[in-house]
Amino acid sequence: MPDVSVRPATAGDRPVVERLWLMFRHDLSGFRGVPPNPDGALRADRIEAAFARDGWAP
């Protein structure tokens, strides 16, 4: 099995983080009862916060 490492995401990682977050939110929506928005989008405010707010880290 390959080694696994964890590191903070960079701005260049954001597209990947956004796609992973979308899949995560989709999977949780059935358990948490939080359906997508009328346009089909899922909440992404935490992604914005993780990349923009002080004290948060993606």
Side-chain angles (χ1 to χ4, degrees):
M1 177 177 272
D3 291 337
V4 175
S5 64
V6 177
R7 64 171 175 76
T10 66
D13 298 320
R14 187 171 178 154
V16 173
V17 172
E18 287 175 342
R19 284 191 296 275
L20 291 171
W21 182 255
L22 176 64
M23 289 186 289
F24 173 72
R25 293 292 302 182
H26 177 267
D27 289 349
L28 283 182
S29 66
F31 296 103
R32 300 194 68 198
V34 181
N37 296 332
D39 66 356
L42 294 162
R43 287 183 56 194
D45 51 323
R46 290 185 182 229
I47 293 292
E48 181 60 36
F51 281 94
R53 288 188 189 166
D54 289 336
W56 287 59

